[in-house]
Amino acid sequence: MASALISRSSRRFLKPCSSSVSLYPAIFNPVISSQQSASQNPSQNPPFKLPQLQSFNFEFRKTTGSLSSFHLVAHVSTWPSKENKNHQSGGNVSSSWVELYLPRKVQPYARLARLDKPIGTWLLLWPCMWSITLAATPGHLPDFKMLALFGCGALLLRGAGCTINDLLDRDIDTMVERTKLRPVASGLLTPFQGLCFLGFQLLLGLGILLQLNNYSRVLGASSLLLVFSYPLMKRFTFWPQAFLGLTFNWGALLGWAAIKGSLDPSIVLPLYASGVFWTLVYDTIYAHQDKEDDLKVGVKSTALRFGDSTKEWITGFGIACLGGLAVSGFNAEIGWPYYASLAVASGHLGWQIWTVDLSSRADCNRKFVSNKWFGAIIFGGILAGRLSS
């Protein structure tokens, strides 16, 4: 009896519809169904390319009433999966942890602070860690609490700097291929929202700064002048990378001051100068990614200033960087492992300079990102040298 009711309800549900297209192909082969429907009524169903079928799920739903009211519902999902997106775009699309784990409303703010691109935080943090470790007592590890504070401070200050940059450059960013999708330039966030977020980051940064000694508070606060003015430099000079070096390596001064309560010019000034020259190397390589757009927009960079002589210039900067590090270590009376690390770091810097393809955006970015390892090599050498001294 039950089988007869099911058979009767199935025949009622599966009888042909008004378009005279059987539902059987739609259930067992939706592609055939679409092709048949388009061929039977081309005026209403213009030819189109059916998206790749990702899932085809049948769901039986029972409503109130008798057994004959079962409905067969076919759900066809045609949204492309991540694999198809990658395939369609040549395999270059990838989701960062920001897109995967943060709430959608928070994502634009995380992207504004460049939380999805941590390389900037590393490049800001390494000079701080060099300085803090150099200031450690010979034979002892550096102050881990201070390293942690500066790590949080680097994350916040880098985010604040990127927010300032995007607010001031929002009109320029829309004309540059690499930056046109940034949250403020693309309209995901308004300038007012960006300003509010900037205030939040600076407030948190102030909380970290207040945990340092008075000398360091004044020294740290003075860096804000550089942070706020750096984004404007590309409008006036071909040397914005040098100005970035002055800004990004302020931690070489601040880290020592946070430990010692003062500055030793014979140690921290060569260290600071070496960081500036290092920045001129990596950020000139980075600037070659945007040189065509920069020419069209009318902004300046060392990549445009040096042109075909870029490798000669950054070779000189690399030598100056390593020389400053050697002088700083010598004045700090650090142990021999430090100089061994300088030899390794010089090899890494030389590899970057001589192998970078300045006409390839992808290779310029790879070499730029590899500088986190240069910073790590120097830090490891300072740590080993201080423990052995």
Side-chain angles (χ1 to χ4, degrees), residues 334-355:
I334 200 168
W336 67 266
Y338 173 68
Y339 300 100
S341 77
L342 285 185
V344 176
S346 65
H348 183 277
L349 209 57
W351 164 77
Q352 284 186 62
I353 294 170
W354 293 110
T355 65

Side-chain angles (χ1 to χ4, degrees), residues 132 142-152 208 211-212 259:
I132 291 170
D143 187 330
F144 286 103
K145 177 186 175 182
M146 202 62 67
L147 291 175
L149 282 175
F150 273 75
C152 295
I208 292 177
Q211 298 184 58
L212 307 181
I259 300 296

Side-chain angles (χ1 to χ4, degrees), residues 131-132 134-135 251-264 267-268:
S131 185
I132 291 170
L134 268 177
L253 307 176
L254 189 59
W256 182 279
I259 300 296
K260 300 290 190 179
S262 62
L263 293 177
D264 185 337
I267 296 174
V268 298

Side-chain angles (χ1 to χ4, degrees), residues 112-193:
L112 184 59
R114 308 289 196 276
L115 296 183
D116 55 334
K117 297 177 181 178
I119 178 59
T121 302
W122 282 115
L123 296 177
L124 182 62
L125 178 60
W126 283 128
C128 306
M129 299 182 72
W130 299 347
S131 185
I132 291 170
T133 309
L134 268 177
T137 303
H140 292 78
L141 291 170
D143 187 330
F144 286 103
K145 177 186 175 182
M146 202 62 67
L147 291 175
L149 282 175
F150 273 75
C152 295
L155 183 68
L156 291 168
L157 187 60
R158 190 265 180 136
C162 291
T163 303
I164 295 168
N165 183 81
D166 286 10
L167 288 171
L168 295 176
D169 285 354
R170 59 186 183 276
D171 295 331
I172 294 176
D173 285 346
T174 58
M175 297 182 281
V176 178
E177 184 66 27
R178 185 178 56 84
T179 61
K180 65 183 181 181
L181 295 180
R182 286 178 175 173
V184 177
S186 64
L188 280 175
L189 294 177
T190 65
F192 178 74
Q193 289 173 314

